[in-house]
Amino acid sequence: MYGNDFGPTAQASGTDADTPPGPDEPLNAAEAGIFDDLIEAEQRIEPRDAMPDSYRQTLVRQIAQHAHSEIIGMQPEGNWITRAPSLRRKAILMAKVQDEAGHGLYLYSAAETLGVDREELLDRLHTGRQRYSSIFNYPTLTWADCGAIGWLVDGAAIMNQVPLCRCSYGPYARAMIRICKEESFHQRQGFEILWTLMRGTEKQQAMAQDAADRWWWPALMMFGPPDTGEAAQGGGHTQQSMAWGIKRFANDDLRQKFVDMMVPQAERLGIVLPDPELRWNAERGHYDFGPIDWEEFWRVLKGDGPCNAERIAHRVQAHDEGAWVREAATAYAVKQASREAVA
Ligand code: FAQ
């Protein structure tokens, strides 16, 4: 039973949970009306509900991209598990990287409710037909990078993802609630790594500052290309996704909130953010910041970032090496099902 089983729209529709409409079937006028009413009433769209194919495809694109980001995002920090500076740091980092795998699994499951197979999504990732976040194409050169990822990358992820807990598609919104709780632990552990380094030796402080210098601008790019003011006419997905209640804020607005949140945190850490144009604007009630290198962003998206090739090669290799696990799990499931059929 779903939230939208209650209320006037559900009663009028008489929806039958056992017969979900096929993905490619166009909506008739009554179904389109029900969909629009549910969106208008801020209700959730559920897997059994009729939805326009373009809404379904937008969600598949975004949720899959998000899932891919989580599992590719295990690599930069996974690289430091064997080199974490203490047993405590190692245990925490392992838990964090495992959480990222878990987030990928919730998200692939949410995407599957839209009628697309997980194997197919992974194939699209491995063959470059679907994206993952630009941020994971940068290298982790020192231990401080694990701190910078937690603080900046998870910080940006939280800013972007808390509004997704109110996404109009039920399974995605529900997955995001749990993910955001875990992301906030991740951000604190990153802050704490940097806090410790900034209270250490001069060399440790320099290492923390260098990591922040390298991750700050790529973190700002995570929110996506400009999409307000003149850029709103630029043809991105924001306008439509906001009308459907998938995105709740424009990329630029979330980026600004992120900058406003991070500047005081950087001050507490004693880290200088690498932007000479960063200053409080009392008139706007926000921090102004310098121009972002969008050429770099598009270059990374096209596959020409520092680690794109390495990340995909590693992912494909891990997938191939895991084939026997998938085969064993499938054989076990078949055996269980045949036992249950006999009983
Ligand atoms: N990287 O019109 P928009 C994490 C693409 S998870 C790559 O603004 P949209 C956890 C976009 O796909 C991080 N591509 O598009 C963690 C589109 O191209 P397309 C991932 C990007 O979808 C932490 C084109 O540019 N988070 O960090 C990026 O409405 C630490 C035009 O852009 C999510 O996926 C980018 N940064 O908005 C894990 C959150 N930005 O598809 C491990 C969910 C834009 O037409 C360690 N996703 N593009 O070919 C979203 O909220 C949205 O998809 C946006 C983009 C905001 C990313």
Side-chain angles (χ1 to χ4, degrees):
M1 179 156 298
Y2 295 116
N4 70 13
D5 283 330
F6 302 93
T9 314
Q11 281 152 24
S13 73
T15 44
D16 178 356
D18 295 333
T19 53
D24 299 326
E25 289 171 28
L27 266 56
N28 62 38
E31 288 168 336
I34 292 164
F35 175 84
D36 290 344
D37 287 351
L38 286 171
I39 296 287
E40 174 76 24
E42 293 278 331
Q43 290 266 334
R44 299 265 185 270
I45 306 295
E46 298 296 346
R48 53 86 202 271
D49 293 329
M51 60 187 91
D53 197 49
S54 44
Y55 175 83
R56 184 189 300 274
Q57 294 308 333
T58 295
L59 282 163
V60 168
R61 181 183 61 77
Q62 177 165 329
I63 300 173
Q65 175 168 322
H66 195 165
H68 300 330
S69 304
E70 295 283 357
I71 61 166
I72 295 275
M74 296 166 70
Q75 291 185 36
E77 290 161 293
N79 182 30
W80 276 91
I81 290 175
T82 54
R83 293 176 289 162
S86 68
L87 184 59
R88 174 175 169 266
R89 293 290 183 202
K90 196 187 289 274
I92 294 171
L93 190 60
M94 277 172 65
K96 180 181 193 277
V97 174
Q98 280 178 357
D99 283 352
E100 285 151 9
H103 297 174
L105 296 184
Y106 311 152
L107 290 164
Y108 285 120
S109 297
E112 283 186 313
T113 65
L114 291 156
V116 56
D117 186 58
R118 182 179 311 204
E119 199 63 28
E120 162 65 18
L121 294 178
L122 286 171
D123 192 56
R124 289 185 203 171
L125 169 66
H126 297 163
T127 53
R129 287 176 292 144
Q130 270 179 345
R131 300 188 192 287
Y132 59 89
S133 181
S134 49
I135 192 78
F136 301 118
N137 291 306
Y138 293 85
T140 39
L141 304 179
T142 69
W143 167 248
D145 287 18
C146 290
I149 290 180
W151 179 48
L152 293 172
V153 177
D154 285 287
I158 293 169
M159 189 56 81
N160 166 264
Q161 292 171 20
V162 167
L164 293 174
C165 299
R166 292 189 292 115
C167 166
S168 59
Y169 187 59
Y172 191 27
R174 290 188 286 273
M176 289 318 302
I177 293 172
R178 183 155 171 190
I179 290 176
C180 284
K181 286 188 178 151
E182 292 175 352
E183 298 292 22
S184 82
F185 152 73
H186 294 173
Q187 203 222 3
R188 278 155 185 261
Q189 70 85 39
F191 184 92
E192 200 253 344
I193 290 175
L194 294 179
W195 179 268
T196 307
L197 290 173
M198 289 305 288
R199 271 134 204 87
T201 62
E202 263 180 38
K203 216 169 160 187
Q204 287 171 321
Q205 290 169 18
M207 190 165 75
Q209 179 63 55
D210 169 64
D213 288 347
R214 285 181 289 106
W215 289 91
W216 173 249
W217 291 106
L220 295 191
M221 294 174 196
M222 280 177 73
F223 294 93
D227 60 352
T228 53
E230 276 177 30
Q233 313 308 320
H237 302 290
T238 300
Q239 220 173 352
Q240 182 59 70
S241 287
M242 284 180 73
W244 277 329
I246 296 174
K247 279 168 102 159
R248 296 289 175 173
F249 295 97
N251 303 346
D252 286 325
D253 293 338
L254 289 173
R255 189 169 13 250
Q256 180 71 64
K257 277 171 184 263
F258 176 70
V259 172
D260 292 347
M261 178 177 84
M262 298 317 272
V263 173
Q265 291 187 15
E267 282 165 4
R268 285 302 297 274
L269 282 169
I271 280 177
V272 180
L273 293 171
D275 179 357
E277 294 180 44
L278 194 61
R279 62 181 59 86
W280 179 249
N281 181 328
E283 212 173 293
R284 293 200 311 122
H286 293 290
Y287 283 92
D288 289 338
F289 53 96
I292 294 172
D293 183 353
W294 290 112
E295 270 180 30
E296 173 180 324
F297 172 79
W298 292 115
R299 220 173 33 243
V300 171
L301 256 61
K302 285 196 185 101
D304 198 15
C307 300
N308 295 58
E310 181 187 329
R311 298 286 184 245
I312 287 295
H314 187 83
R315 169 94 269 288
V316 171
Q317 186 189 348
H319 187 73
D320 291 347
E321 287 174 1
W324 69 271
V325 180
R326 294 189 295 279
E327 281 160 22
T330 307
Y332 182 73
V334 169
K335 203 156 109 186
Q336 287 294 99
S338 68
R339 275 194 194 143
E340 275 163 26
V342 171

